[in-house]
Amino acid sequence: AQKVTQAQTEISVVEKEDATLDCVYETRDTTYYLFWYKQPPSGELVFLIRRNSFDEQNEISGRYSWNFQKSTSSFNFTITASQVVDSAVYFCALSVLNSGGGADGLTFGKGTHLIIQP
Amino acid sequence: DVKVTQSSRYLVKRTGEKVFLECVQDMDHENMFWYRQDPGLGLRLIYFSYDVKMKEKGDIPEGYSVSREKKERFSLILESASTNQTSMYLCASSLGQGNWDEQFFGPGTRLTVL
């Protein structure tokens, strides 16, 4: 069975500070995908990034960056120079190959509520 | 833009009622999913479907069933609603089996069972 742990229930930072959200995953599969989603107060989940298990390169997209380390089974997310609009709940999720070679539903962590104070 | 719509944003039902939650996507996606979201528990997968008339159990299927008669529509059915099914229900879709595209989510239906 798969498991995703987001140990930080809530993080509060002052605007323009950096915020790092931790994600640790567990799976016995060698082929898997990791995702981050953002859920703003409006409620609709927004896709941020997908990373497969064979690609350990870190990724940067604007103020967002992701650090994938298979050795520690972690896929951490950093927001640089945070803004109030970044306030949201962020979910890390994991998907593995099923027996048919496709992807099943996502296994989500419990989410981290990020609060950016002005 | 991919659009996933859910029939109701808020719904109040009574214990024992049969409840239908409807989800429609407009991008010809093969895969559709139903999750429930509860405080402190994150999102949990109830059922998913790879194709019309196909369904697979997720992590918490008990008390639920699904129907997929058309590719674009995926319905979640609570045969006899109970108070512990009060939750936020999220529908999602993705492109196709074997394709690792991201899932697109609808706005959610907040169901209260009294």
Side-chain angles (χ1 to χ4, degrees):
Chain A
Q2 287 65 242
K3 186 178 180 181
V4 176
T5 301
Q6 294 179 256
Q8 305 149 308
T9 303
E10 185 174 286
I11 298 175
S12 181
V13 302
V14 177
E15 194 173 19
K16 296 184 183 177
E17 290 184 344
D18 297 348
T20 295
L21 286 65
D22 298 332
C23 173
V24 174
Y25 62 92
E26 296 176 30
T27 179
R28 293 183 177 178
D29 292 73
T30 56
T31 302
Y32 53 87
Y33 275 70
L34 294 162
F35 300 78
W36 275 95
Y37 283 84
K38 173 182 179 180
Q39 187 177 41
S42 61
E44 197 160 331
L45 271 79
V46 177
F47 166 79
L48 295 178
I49 190 172
R50 175 186 63 240
R51 173 66 74 227
N52 75 54
S53 52
F54 301 106
D55 181 4
E56 283 194 76
Q57 285 189 352
N58 293 330
E59 178 145 346
I60 298 174
S61 175
R63 296 185 298 106
Y64 296 171
S65 62
W66 290 269
N67 183 356
F68 177 28
Q69 292 195 350
K70 287 178 75 171
S71 60
T72 56
S73 297
S74 65
F75 187 43
N76 297 337
F77 173 33
T78 297
I79 301 174
T80 304
S82 62
Q83 299 175 2
V84 172
V85 293
D86 296 327
S87 295
V89 180
Y90 291 85
F91 290 97
C92 181
L94 169 71
S95 182
V96 300
L97 276 176
N98 59 30
S99 56
D104 286 344
L106 297 169
T107 298
F108 283 85
K110 294 181 180 180
T112 297
H113 186 197
L114 177 63
I115 300 169
I116 310 297
Q117 298 177 2
Chain B
D1 277 354
V2 174
K3 189 132 184 162
V4 179
T5 57
Q6 296 183 231
S7 52
S8 304
R9 199 68 197 264
Y10 299 94
L11 206 55
V12 180
K13 296 292 181 181
R14 297 220 173 261
T15 301
E17 279 193 76
K18 189 169 186 175
V19 182
F20 292 86
L21 301 182
E22 305 288 343
C23 175
V24 177
Q25 50 93 4
D26 66 358
M27 283 301 290
D28 204 34
H29 282 178
E30 293 184 11
N31 301 333
M32 296 190 75
F33 307 83
W34 275 106
Y35 297 87
R36 64 177 281 175
Q37 181 178 9
D38 300 288
L41 296 178
L43 280 79
R44 293 177 292 167
L45 180 65
I46 305 172
Y47 266 98
F48 59 102
S49 169
Y50 290 133
D51 201 352
V52 175
K53 296 192 185 297
M54 292 183 65
K55 60 183 178 182
E56 298 284 345
K57 291 180 180 179
D59 298 320
I60 51 164
E62 296 77 20
Y64 303 95
S65 62
V66 291
S67 172
R68 194 165 181 201
E69 296 296 320
K70 293 185 177 181
K71 190 174 184 179
E72 68 271 18
R73 187 179 299 269
F74 192 36
S75 303
L76 180 69
I77 303 159
L78 287 66
E79 294 290 341
S80 179
S82 62
T83 54
N84 63 14
Q85 292 178 309
T86 291
S87 185
M88 171 70 88
Y89 290 88
L90 293 164
C91 176
S93 71
S94 67
L95 191 56
Q97 188 171 2
N99 187 305
W100 294 81
D101 277 356
E102 69 271 23
Q103 293 183 18
F104 294 86
F105 285 82
T109 295
R110 186 168 294 282
L111 172 67
T112 301
V113 182
L114 301 176

